[in-house]
Amino acid sequence: MLDFVTMETQLKDNRTELLRKIKNEIVAGKHLPLYKERIKNKVFPVIGEGSHYAKIMFVGEAPGKNEAEQGRPFCGASGRILDELLASVGILRPDVYVTNIVKDRPPMNRDPLPEEIEAYVPYLDRQIEIIQPEIIATLGRFSMIYIMNRLGLASQLGSISQIHGKIFTAQTKYGEVKVIPLYHPAVAVYNSNMKDGLLKDFQTLKVFK
Ligand code: URA
């Protein structure tokens, strides 16, 4: 019979193993619509980063230039804003999990196309099932629309200006999850009013830390 330490180690290894499998599939994913672009630009896919046991998962849109160069989510200007927002509520980045709906950078930072979202979201769905976050905080319109539709909240979907900062409850295979739509941190890079709004919305995360 397994003792508790061994069981815990096995569970830990399993999450890490399952997430590594996703990474390997994306890295080798020649069928992915932005694979050629990734190879042409000699950049990396951005899978996700953070605790495999995170209570809060942030879902952004797609990697930008810095992210694709480093293979890490939110490590450029938007990432600095995200770090500030997290710090404002005393949440440490390593304690959360940060990922995107699209795992490769769209050329010229354009919006992801519907077929790109469709091709990459099965990986996000699996990341959610493995990590089992209690809170999914969407960053920006694209991830808000995808997550709310995916989790059966389509009837409560509105424009991001109407529903940002609100808390929605959804049921998943692994239990209840709260969905909190947030503006994308990029909106605050040159706009201090938007930043104030984001700071206010981030306060909703405080009760969940
Ligand atoms: N914007 C995103 O949506 N994701 C990142 O990882 C970086 C910028």
Side-chain angles (χ1 to χ4, degrees):
M1 199 170 75
L2 296 171
D3 62 31
F4 285 118
V5 177
T6 321
M7 275 170 59
E8 188 176 315
T9 311
Q10 287 210 338
L11 187 64
K12 263 193 182 135
D13 286 350
N14 193 247
R15 280 193 188 194
T16 304
E17 197 47 52
L18 292 168
L19 290 166
R20 188 176 298 127
K21 193 164 175 296
I22 293 176
K23 177 182 176 181
N24 292 343
E25 286 175 36
I26 297 172
V27 168
K30 291 201 175 124
H31 65 287
L32 293 168
L34 294 168
Y35 177 86
K36 278 201 185 120
E37 191 69 19
R38 181 207 302 169
I39 301 300
K40 185 182 85 190
N41 297 323
K42 298 189 172 67
V43 292
F44 300 103
V46 177
I47 316 297
E49 190 177 75
S51 169
H52 299 172
Y53 290 83
K55 230 168 144 180
I56 309 176
M57 179 187 273
F58 288 91
V59 182
E61 184 177 309
K65 188 171 184 291
N66 288 292
E67 288 77 19
E69 282 170 4
Q70 295 188 40
R72 298 183 48 225
F74 287 93
C75 61
S78 303
R80 282 189 289 280
I81 303 274
L82 178 61
D83 287 340
E84 261 186 66
L85 294 164
L86 289 171
S88 74
V89 284
I91 298 175
L92 300 172
R93 178 105 165 225
D95 290 341
V96 299
Y97 193 83
V98 183
T99 188
N100 289 301
I101 31 176
V102 169
K103 312 298 192 195
D104 281 300
R105 181 188 178 213
M108 315 297 290
N109 289 348
R110 64 155 167 72
D111 287 346
L113 303 173
E115 58 268 31
E116 290 165 354
I117 294 176
E118 197 184 318
Y120 288 92
V121 287
Y123 301 110
L124 173 63
D125 290 349
R126 282 161 64 193
Q127 288 172 311
I128 294 170
E129 271 186 37
I130 296 165
I131 296 170
Q132 307 189 355
E134 287 172 35
I135 296 106
I136 300 178
T138 58
L139 300 171
R141 202 160 51 87
F142 289 93
S143 62
M144 170 190 81
I145 294 170
Y146 177 70
I147 292 288
M148 291 201 51
N149 280 324
R150 185 75 179 92
L151 297 183
L153 297 170
S155 65
Q156 295 175 70
L157 197 49
S159 69
I160 195 159
S161 59
Q162 289 167 330
I163 65 169
H164 67 94
K166 293 196 161 73
I167 303 172
F168 299 90
T169 304
Q171 299 303 326
T172 69
K173 272 192 230 164
Y174 66 83
E176 190 179 281
V177 64
K178 305 278 185 206
V179 176
I180 308 181
L182 298 167
Y183 277 111
H184 194 287
V187 299
V189 175
Y190 300 110
N191 184 331
S192 58
N193 285 337
M194 290 305 283
K195 184 151 167 205
D196 290 345
L198 263 164
L199 282 164
K200 192 161 164 257
D201 286 352
F202 262 68
Q203 290 294 318
T204 52
L205 295 174
K206 236 181 175 168
V207 290
F208 300 112
K209 15 176 226 172

